[in-house]
Amino acid sequence: MRIEAVYGVLIPLLGTTLGAACVFFMRKNMKDGIQRSLTGFASGVMVAASVWSLLIPSIEQSESMGRFAFVPALVGLWAGMLFLLLLDNITPHLHINSEVSEGPRTNLKKTTMLVLAVTIHNIPEGMAVGVVYAGFLLGNSGITAMAALVLSVGIAIQNFPEGAIISMPLRANGLGRGESFLYGFLSGVVEPVAAFVTILAAGIITPAMPYLLSFAAGAMIYVVVEELIPEMSQGRHSNIGVIAFAIGFGIMMMLDVALG
């Protein structure tokens, strides 16, 4: 594997790590408005990345199918969403600001289930980075090194608030700063793991690349709709999450079009 792909796969983990490190510098729990802003921003980045970095390339790589070029994108999109739906139902987890856990009944600690919720969230992001770098490494998908790097950096940008969103509530629930940081860091480790597995899978089944691209898009969109948007809309009505969504969407779109 080329060294730039290895670095690219690890960049999103750096974003999560830096975000989790906020627990060492912020003494109080994260304010509701800030949390909504960060969640909305992350949602915007993920939706824009799903469209420009994954779905559009999936359709472009299927142009030989003529008017049915949408089929791999549609099939992969649904497969990715159903895959996350399955994970959501078989994994016990607890969302931020929620008192009721989801998935099977379990005796796991609240902190563990909070980390599992973020871990489920991070799997599709790792897959997205992995499949784009797989396309670059294969050399016949039209995906450039810059396009892959843009997606990786975009995911890292939205991972920064995610790292803070997981570590700060853990600190507020009584964990030490070091332990809260560790949990935040570990929630992001799944991303490079998922990325490397996806790269290996794509290398084995090269013709499936359009499906893998849209699969990652579907998984990320599921996370946004099922988890992030409800979180940024909880409690007293506010438009800050929507504004942050638009900012995140615009930044990721701009990076992908200008540099991809």
Side-chain angles (χ1 to χ4, degrees), residues 22-219:
C22 289
V23 75
F24 294 114
F25 309 104
M26 299 175 66
R27 295 184 177 182
K28 297 181 180 180
N29 192 17
M30 192 177 297
K31 293 183 179 180
D32 181 65
I34 295 176
Q35 186 167 318
R36 288 189 185 195
S37 299
L38 296 178
T39 303
F41 181 85
S43 300
V45 171
M46 290 178 70
V47 172
S50 296
V51 175
W52 273 274
S53 297
L54 300 169
L55 288 175
I56 292 178
S58 173
I59 294 172
E60 289 175 345
Q61 291 180 30
S62 306
E63 287 180 348
S64 61
M65 298 177 67
R67 68 178 62 184
F68 296 104
F70 68 88
V71 171
L74 181 61
V75 171
L77 178 77
W78 269 96
M81 298 192 77
L82 291 175
F83 173 69
L84 259 291
L85 177 62
L86 174 64
L87 281 184
D88 216 25
N89 281 277
I90 66 175
T91 306
H93 61 284
L94 180 68
H95 294 299
I96 302 294
N97 298 327
S98 177
E99 296 297 327
V100 181
S101 63
E102 297 182 18
R105 292 186 177 181
T106 180
N107 293 321
L108 292 174
K109 295 180 180 179
K110 181 179 180 179
T111 53
T112 303
M113 289 194 290
L114 283 170
V115 173
L116 283 174
V118 179
T119 300
I120 294 173
H121 177 158
N122 286 341
I123 289 175
E125 295 172 13
M127 292 175 61
V129 173
V131 72
V132 171
Y133 268 101
F136 161 64
L137 292 172
L138 290 171
N140 59 357
S141 63
I143 297 175
T144 65
M146 181 58 71
L149 180 62
V150 165
L151 176 62
S152 187
V153 171
I155 295 295
I157 290 172
Q158 67 96 28
N159 275 355
F160 180 85
E162 284 183 2
I165 286 171
I166 185 64
S167 65
M168 294 300 295
L170 291 177
R171 173 62 176 162
N173 282 323
L175 291 185
R177 295 183 189 276
E179 194 173 3
S180 298
F181 168 77
L182 179 61
Y183 275 121
F185 168 77
L186 291 177
S187 72
V189 170
V190 69
E191 287 197 26
V193 173
F196 284 121
V197 170
T198 304
I199 289 174
L200 292 175
I204 296 172
I205 48 175
T206 303
M209 180 60 67
Y211 294 92
L212 291 175
L213 286 165
S214 55
F215 181 95

